[in-house]
């Protein structure tokens, strides 16, 4: 009897634990309200989830922690590089101030005459003539780094049509990391003259998927296709903003209809892998809908006539090909 009671008790406990699995796999608003006020809990839920859902899954929490770690690491690297640049600038300023103080001290103590300073200024003019371009480049680089400051370490930028991630920032140069992990060094004076796109500082960005169907496709099928795709986009609120559109763009060669799906991600394109992962979901759903509705694209018929075809005498054909005599 004691063994049977033990089995029944374990069974009941297992059923209760099984019913609570769904509860244990998510974080709800009431869970956060145990540790903070209601307004703080609502704000925390919006930061973690990014949607209007009332729960946070383990995957969303993991992604948020990873993204937060990356942002903090990039911020740490930015502060480190900025501190290094400021220290170098501070050393240059110390040298200039020391020279000025020594010159004033010599002038006050009458150790050096005005003729000496005239001679010294002529030598300085000579140095400016020799190193003037270097001074100009350094000044432009400092203006770019401390005044314009279009990016930080870790930002994904587009320079000359190439997307790269900022690896290191110095006073005179900036090191970028391309998609194939090749490091590219740009002088800051050159970057100051180029248009630079920054994905990290951009808001939630838009995207589109273009495809073509045959011009003879019934309008009823196109309407059903639009509804199915829109319903799919609305079901993924954590991926895209509401208001996605499926529009008929143009008719090409009187044979194909150009259609586009316009959607707006809930992320910018700092993480390009996440962008293409979400874009893949749309393409897979599009393929499924097109197959389900039997919508296809057909080429225009081509009438080909052969007249007086000469015999093939070339010896350059592969050995597996057979020719007619």
């Amino acid at each position: 009897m004691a063994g049977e009671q033990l089995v029944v008790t374990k069974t009941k406990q297992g059923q209760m634990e099984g019913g609570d699995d769904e509860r244990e796999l998510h974080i709800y608003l009431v869970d956060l309200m145990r540790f903070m006020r209601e307004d703080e809990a609502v704000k925390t839920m919006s930061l973690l989830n990014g949607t209007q859902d009332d729960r946070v899954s383990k995957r969303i929490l993991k992604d948020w922690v990873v993204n937060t770690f990356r942002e903090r690491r990039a911020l740490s690297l930015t502060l480190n590089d900025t501190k290094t640049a400021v220290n170098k600038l501070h050393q240059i300023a110390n040298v200039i101030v020391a020279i000025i103080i020594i010159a004033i001290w010599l002038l006050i103590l009458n150790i050096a005459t005005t003729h000496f300073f005239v001679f010294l200024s002529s030598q300085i003019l000579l140095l400016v003539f020799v190193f003037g371009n270097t001074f100009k480049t350094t000044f432009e680089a400092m203006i770019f780094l401390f005044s314009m400051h279009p990016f930080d370490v870790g930002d994904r930028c587009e320079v000359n049509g190439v997307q790269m991630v900022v690896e290191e920032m110095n006073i005179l140069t900036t090191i970028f990391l391309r998609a194939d992990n090749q490091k590219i060094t740009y002088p800051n004076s050159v970057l100051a003259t180029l248009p630079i796109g920054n994905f990290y500082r951009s808001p939630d960005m838009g995207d589109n998927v273009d495809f073509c169907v045959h011009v003879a496709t019934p309008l009823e099928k196109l309407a059903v296709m639009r509804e199915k795709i829109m319903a799919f986009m609305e079901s993924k609120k954590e991926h895209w903003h509401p208001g996605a559109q499926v529009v008929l763009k143009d008719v090409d060669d009187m044979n194909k209809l150009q259609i586009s799906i316009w959607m707006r991600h809930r992320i910018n394109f700092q993480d390009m892998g996440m962008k293409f992962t979400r874009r893949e979901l749309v393409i897979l759903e599009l393929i499924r809908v097109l197959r389900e509705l039997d919508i296809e694209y057909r080429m225009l018929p081509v009438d080909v006539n052969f007249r007086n075809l000469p015999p093939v005498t070339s010896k350059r054909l592969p050995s597996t090909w057979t020719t007619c005599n």
Side-chain angles (χ1 to χ4, degrees), residues 29 46 85 94 119 127 129 151 160 190 231 239 247 272 280 286:
L29 182 63
S46 62
N94 286 339
F119 172 77
L127 291 177
F129 177 77
F151 47 71
N160 282 338
V190 175
H239 290 174
V247 297
M272 294 300 292
E280 180 186 7
L286 174 62

Side-chain angles (χ1 to χ4, degrees), residues 225-275:
M225 178 196 67
R226 178 183 287 108
E227 293 178 359
K228 289 182 176 292
I229 295 177
M230 295 286 292
F232 172 77
M233 302 291 291
E234 292 293 335
S235 66
K236 298 290 184 179
K237 295 182 179 180
E238 70 276 9
H239 290 174
W240 298 287
H241 286 274
Q245 297 181 355
V246 180
V247 297
L248 179 62
K249 290 178 59 178
D250 203 352
V251 180
D252 192 8
D253 295 335
M254 296 299 294
N255 179 49
K256 54 186 177 183
L257 301 176
Q258 296 183 3
I259 304 177
S260 291
I261 303 175
W262 295 341
M263 62 274 195
R264 185 185 175 196
H265 292 259
R266 288 193 178 272
I267 58 172
N268 55 32
F269 296 160
Q270 170 71 15
D271 189 352
M272 294 300 292
M274 181 63 68
K275 170 202 171 183

Side-chain angles (χ1 to χ4, degrees), residues 60 76-77 96 110-111 139 146 173 230 237 239 244 253-254:
I60 294 178
S76 176
L77 294 175
I96 296 175
N110 291 326
I111 298 177
F139 180 75
F146 295 103
T173 60
M230 295 286 292
K237 295 182 179 180
H239 290 174
D253 295 335
M254 296 299 294

Side-chain angles (χ1 to χ4, degrees), residues 64 66 77 159:
W64 182 83
V66 172
L77 294 175
V159 183

